[in-house]
Amino acid sequence: MKRLLPSLAALALALAHGAAVAAPEQDMRARTPQQEVIYFVLPDRFENGDPANDRGGLKGGKLQTGFDAADKAFYHGGDLKGLTQKLDYIEGLGASAIWVGPIFKNKPVQGPKGEESAGYHGYWITDFTQVDPHLGTDADFKALVDAAHARGMKVYMDIIVNHTADVIQYKEGAAQGYPYRSKADYPFSTRGGVKGAPINPGFAGDTVATAQNWARLTDPTFAYTPVVPKGEGKVKVPAWLNDPIYYHNRGNTDWKGESAQYGDFVGLDDLATEDPRVIAGMIDIYGAWIDRFGIDGFRIDTAKHVDAAFWRSFVPAMQARAKAKGIPNFHIFGEVTTGDVYDPALLASWTRNSGLPAVLDFAFMQAAISASSGKSGTQDLARMVEDDVLYQGGKAAAMQLPTFLGNHDAGRIAMFIKQARPGIAADELLARDKLAHALLLTLRGVPTIYSGDEQGFVGEGNDQLSRQDMFPSKTSIYNAEKLVGTDATTAQANFDTAHPLYTFIAGLAKLRRAAPALTSGRTELRTASEEPGLFAVSRFDPNNGREVLLAYNTSTKPVTAQVQVDPASRGFAGLAGSDCAPESSAPGSLTVTLPPLGFAVCAARP
């Protein structure tokens, strides 16, 4: 590839395709979700701006404070001040929006004896109304949002309504691990099973969503007997969250069927989101964050484990709250996992049945991993072009789906490539990593970069094994990893703006944001294969209809082929990647030549 990054001339051509100059702060609100490039950060693992808050103001050892920088399962010291200090770095990458992992006050440590871990990730909330002291203060969060907005960058909050931290315990079932108890075997109307004493007279079931009906549910002992440990009766904020009546109390989920909605996630207290009181409470909680800080969107954790009716109330309420604050393009996207399969139908069902405006595009993740790793051909990427009609609002709505290559739960793209190709050489790993990011940053959707990917982080697995520190790490399992594209390790700071992946991503991100065809253009499939090889699509500028041909070679052999283009597109210029033929071979056909694992972005000339 002669041109990995777009040149100034290429950017000028992109602007000629109808782009506007980058929006200043006052015009930030006018940008639609698909015009963003998102950078996802877990604050604890990004930058330590204030070591004084590492222990969250708590005393004692790691089991009391949650802090142990050498343990992958505990707080490491990153915070909101550190994130604010690194906005130059994030902006330089080409990101225009920051998705910040949950910042709410968490239970510092939980888990059985000998298996404890900390809430560094932010998903074990006790107080939904304030920033966790390990990460800083509410004022620190305001400073972050204000600083980002001053640069024209948006801030998305990671929120949770499905559960709280693990506070509620059960009198029964400890030896069995609190197995899930179903509504059929343990109905709301009897205590501890169908033959138990009658309770909750007049309660018509949790599908009758009226306050009058739910007022008749007064006894939570229908499945288990919930118990709140001494000293934790008032730990949750707002105060109504401390009452077990607002939880499902049916034991641990097995991730299947009914229990996926009603079961506790490994003990996390599962909220009864069918209850109008819970719905109103969550609207109050998260509406207040919009009012107080003027944030720009929500990523919703575990969205598919909440009943659909909840979202049909919550989403419009948040959109209305945002509009009242002067935020017309508030981006809401839910986490609906699909495992390791390509399943856009499941994803789309949550936009249709639940009213979620968008979901994280796990289908794209699977298709991009398969293609960039050479695990299979490009048939799933090709299917996306037609499968996008499944989403509520069709193909236009699919452009608002955040696309990604890996994350803090599933693992990183470099790891997936290594798993697909054991023993892969370093240069091939870098080339495939770049190819994956080329797909991410040029195809439809909202590209989402997981912090560290641009520094070549790999990881040995998912969850804790994919949550490396960007600042100098003291965690030996992280520091032992060989990174992509560098001889550095995580034992030193990894904010290298000269890293080959950083510069590659930065160039394509800036090109994307300059070219309306890449942010908002419709997609037309040109060629694909069930084997590694040529994949091509055309995207069309929504303002003037001009074509941008995107071509990728997922094989390790050079490719030369004729690719269909619009007959009106006669002359082409390269915006990124390999050189493009300057003229079509004949009306409707362009010669495309790509090196192994190469790509090209070819724009029809005005």
Side-chain angles (χ1 to χ4, degrees), residues 366-530:
Q366 294 302 326
I369 290 171
S370 294
S372 61
S373 68
K375 181 179 179 180
S376 67
T378 54
Q379 62 270 36
D380 287 342
L381 286 173
R383 275 193 55 185
M384 283 178 52
V385 179
E386 298 306 322
D387 288 340
D388 280 352
V389 75
L390 296 170
Y391 295 94
Q392 183 67 39
K395 293 185 176 184
M399 293 184 190
Q400 296 192 14
L401 305 181
T403 50
F404 61 102
L405 301 171
N407 61 26
H408 60 312
D409 291 326
R412 296 182 181 275
I413 179 60
M415 180 200 74
F416 291 122
I417 294 171
K418 287 185 69 175
Q419 287 178 340
R421 311 193 77 81
I424 186 172
D427 57 348
E428 183 181 344
L429 177 57
L430 176 60
R432 289 187 180 276
D433 203 326
K434 286 182 175 180
L435 178 61
H437 281 94
L439 293 166
L440 176 70
L441 287 157
T442 54
L443 295 176
R444 74 97 181 101
V446 188
T448 304
I449 311 296
Y450 176 31
S451 61
D453 281 1
E454 78 282 5
Q455 294 295 326
F457 288 9
V458 181
E460 297 297 326
N462 61 356
D463 197 72
Q464 295 175 10
L465 292 172
S466 63
R467 299 174 180 178
Q468 299 92 332
D469 304 305
M470 294 284 285
F471 59 100
S473 182
K474 297 181 180 179
T475 307
S476 59
I477 193 169
Y478 297 158
N479 294 342
E481 296 173 7
K482 181 172 176 53
L483 308 186
V484 181
T486 178
D487 292 327
T489 73
T490 55
Q492 59 201 79
N494 280 274
F495 296 101
D496 180 9
T497 57
H499 189 289
L501 284 169
Y502 182 97
T503 57
F504 182 84
I505 291 169
L508 284 179
K510 291 166 186 174
L511 172 64
R512 180 187 184 88
R513 293 179 59 204
L518 300 184
T519 59
S520 309
R522 69 177 176 87
T523 301
E524 189 168 333
L525 178 65
R526 295 309 190 188
T527 187
S529 172
E530 294 186 359

Side-chain angles (χ1 to χ4, degrees), residues 67-88:
F67 177 75
D68 184 350
D71 191 325
K72 70 183 188 310
F74 283 75
Y75 284 96
H76 287 184
D79 50 35
L80 295 173
K81 285 183 178 178
L83 180 53
T84 304
Q85 292 168 7
K86 291 296 183 182
L87 288 179
D88 278 347

Side-chain angles (χ1 to χ4, degrees), residues 25-45:
E25 178 186 0
Q26 59 267 35
D27 293 334
M28 175 188 66
R29 301 296 194 197
R31 295 201 309 261
T32 58
Q34 59 264 39
Q35 291 178 290
E36 313 298 343
V37 173
I38 301 172
Y39 188 72
F40 168 49
V41 173
L42 283 178
D44 178 66
R45 302 298 167 91

Side-chain angles (χ1 to χ4, degrees), residues 515-554:
L518 300 184
T519 59
S520 309
R522 69 177 176 87
T523 301
E524 189 168 333
L525 178 65
R526 295 309 190 188
T527 187
S529 172
E530 294 186 359
E531 299 294 330
L534 181 63
F535 173 67
V537 300
S538 289
R539 302 192 66 188
F540 294 86
D541 191 310
N543 301 318
N544 56 33
R546 292 194 188 110
E547 180 175 13
V548 176
L549 179 70
L550 308 172
Y552 318 85
N553 180 8
T554 66

